[in-house]
């Protein structure tokens, strides 16, 4: 695995790969890697000839400076974990490489409601930052396939919109969420959970699974109310639990009217914010 820290080195490598007709897969991350990220890289390796993974803690997608500061950055451990996953290039840029003073990296794309509901409501500006950095990284990496995790379902929907709006040729591949044995979705934030909240946190996945059982038998509003009660009773502080259309992310009132239905939730476990989702009807 080659570690590249600047755009010039990356650009030479990518140009050579393109000349050789190799198919490039890209997995963008913010580091603090776990089995979920490694699964994305392994999946990218099955789909493409060369896998590029980036680790860049993107300042423009954090609406809370404290969250940016607290974000874990265990870089040597990340590098160790990447060995043997099929990652060919680790791109490890500094802020100045991604957002140089002399290049306008801003993006004026407005996905509307897709970026305003759920995470957009509680993290204003977050998806603008995500679109900006993914767009910039795609410009640098020039992959054929972009691999992202279902864990961030709304992020995938917003990036899909961005790719369509910019007429990007990049193919977006969404990989299934990887869970701990007790159902907790793997996340870089899990390491910050206290033992007590770690024990409670699987209730998030249980509540989503219950929603999957209940959809079609109980009104979505009742399921959502019950889920909020259940998460609260367990000791979490839920921000939202929504049953939404899988494409528009608008709330579902009549499940019969929708082809794809997803339940998405965010809840605080102490001072750690966890998100998760489950497809209720594929
Ligand atoms: O999902 C993440 O880790 C980030 O939002 C991403 C896609 C790497 C952009 O910074």
């Amino acid at each position: 695995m080659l570690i590249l820290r600047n755009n010039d080195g990356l650009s030479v490598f990518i140009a050579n790969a393109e000349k050789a007709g190799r198919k490039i897969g890209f997995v963008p991350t913010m580091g603090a890697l776990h089995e979920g990220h490694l699964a994305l890289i392994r999946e990218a390796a099955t789909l493409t000839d060369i896998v590029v993974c980036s680790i860049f803690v993107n300042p423009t997608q954090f609406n809370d400076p404290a969250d940016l500061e607290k974000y874990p950055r265990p870089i040597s451990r990340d590098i160790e974990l990447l060995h043997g996953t099929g990652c060919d290039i680790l791109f490890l840029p500094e802020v100045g490489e991604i957002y140089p003073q002399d290049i306008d990296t801003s993006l004026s794309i407005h996905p509307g409601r897709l970026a305003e509901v759920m995470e957009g409501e509680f993290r204003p500006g977050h998806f603008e930052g995500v679109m900006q950095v993914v767009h910039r990284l795609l410009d640098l990496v020039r992959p054929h396939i972009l691999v992202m995790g279902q864990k961030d379902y709304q992020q995938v929907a917003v990036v899909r919109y961005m790719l369509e709006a910019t007429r990007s040729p990049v193919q977006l591949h969404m990989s299934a969420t990887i869970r701990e044995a007790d159902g907790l979705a793997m996340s870089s934030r899990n390491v910050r959970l206290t033992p007590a909240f770690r024990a409670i946190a699987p209730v998030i996945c249980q509540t989503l699974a219950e929603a999957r059982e209940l959809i079609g038998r109980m009104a979505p509003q009742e399921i959502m109310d019950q889920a909020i009660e259940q998460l609260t009773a367990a000791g979490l502080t839920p921000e939202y639990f929504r049953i939404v259309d899988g494409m528009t992310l608008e709330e579902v009132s009549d499940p019969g009217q929708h082809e794809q239905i997803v339940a998405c939730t965010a809840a605080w476990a102490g001072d750690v914010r966890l998100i998760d989702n489950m497809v209720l009807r594929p």
Side-chain angles (χ1 to χ4, degrees):
M1 183 176 74
L2 202 59
I3 300 178
L4 299 173
R5 292 173 197 272
N6 59 57
N7 302 343
D8 293 344
L10 181 69
S11 171
V12 170
F13 184 91
I14 298 295
N16 285 335
E18 281 170 347
K19 242 182 261 160
R22 318 291 293 276
K23 196 169 184 178
I24 301 168
F26 178 44
V27 181
T29 82
M30 297 206 300
L33 303 179
H34 50 68
E35 197 45 47
H37 295 111
L38 306 185
L40 296 182
I41 292 164
R42 287 191 199 105
E43 193 150 343
T46 66
L47 302 169
T48 57
D49 305 314
I50 289 181
V51 178
V52 180
C53 165
S54 63
I55 295 182
F56 177 65
V57 182
N58 173 36
T60 69
Q61 72 187 73
F62 285 82
N63 52 320
D64 174 3
D67 196 23
L68 171 62
E69 201 172 307
K70 278 187 292 186
Y71 205 84
R73 292 167 173 84
I75 193 64
S76 339
R77 188 173 170 275
D78 284 351
I79 293 172
E80 250 169 62
L81 284 174
L82 283 173
H83 285 296
T85 56
C87 176
D88 299 291
I89 302 287
L90 169 59
F91 183 44
L92 209 51
E94 294 290 334
V95 174
E97 293 287 320
I98 299 298
Y99 302 123
Q101 302 283 354
D102 55 341
I103 295 181
D104 181 9
T105 56
S106 63
L107 197 62
S108 46
I109 286 175
H110 306 286
R113 298 273 302 154
L114 270 188
E116 285 164 9
V117 296
M118 301 191 289
E119 289 302 288
E121 222 173 282
F122 289 92
R123 304 182 69 188
H126 170 68
F127 288 121
E128 282 74 11
V130 169
M131 284 191 300
Q132 180 188 21
V133 76
V134 173
H135 185 258
R136 174 80 178 128
L137 287 165
L138 292 178
D139 255 1
L140 298 169
V141 178
R142 303 200 296 272
H144 298 85
I145 302 187
L146 168 66
V147 180
M148 300 183 87
Q150 187 196 323
K151 159 88 186 342
D152 295 290
Y153 191 91
Q154 190 173 3
Q155 169 168 275
V156 176
V158 169
V159 168
R160 186 184 297 120
Y161 179 93
M162 186 267 285
L163 293 175
E164 280 166 14
T166 56
R167 296 175 196 278
S168 166
V170 176
Q171 192 187 322
L172 178 60
H173 179 89
M174 182 168 83
S175 286
T177 303
I178 305 292
R179 298 180 180 280
E180 302 284 357
D182 59 10
L184 178 64
M186 292 204 184
S187 162
S188 306
R189 293 166 197 259
N190 292 353
V191 293
R192 291 181 37 230
L193 290 169
T194 62
F197 278 116
R198 174 62 190 83
I200 296 169
V203 73
I204 296 174
C205 170
Q206 288 154 17
T207 312
L208 288 165
E210 269 177 47
R212 192 176 51 194
E213 292 305 310
L214 292 171
I215 194 78
R217 291 197 278 135
M218 201 192 247
Q221 188 60 54
E222 273 178 66
I223 303 175
M224 292 190 282
D225 292 345
Q226 186 177 299
I228 292 284
E229 267 172 40
Q230 220 165 304
L231 294 169
T232 310
L236 302 180
T237 309
E239 273 183 350
Y240 62 83
F241 187 103
R242 304 265 163 80
I243 295 178
V244 299
D245 180 275
M247 296 310 285
T248 65
L249 305 187
E250 292 294 347
E251 246 178 65
V252 164
S253 50
D254 176 4
Q257 301 293 314
H258 302 264
E259 268 179 29
Q260 198 185 0
I261 301 178
V262 186
C264 301
T265 185
W268 288 89
D271 66 348
V272 183
R273 187 173 184 277
L274 300 174
I275 62 168
D276 199 357
N277 65 78
M278 202 170 276
V279 174
L280 307 188
R281 183 179 291 167

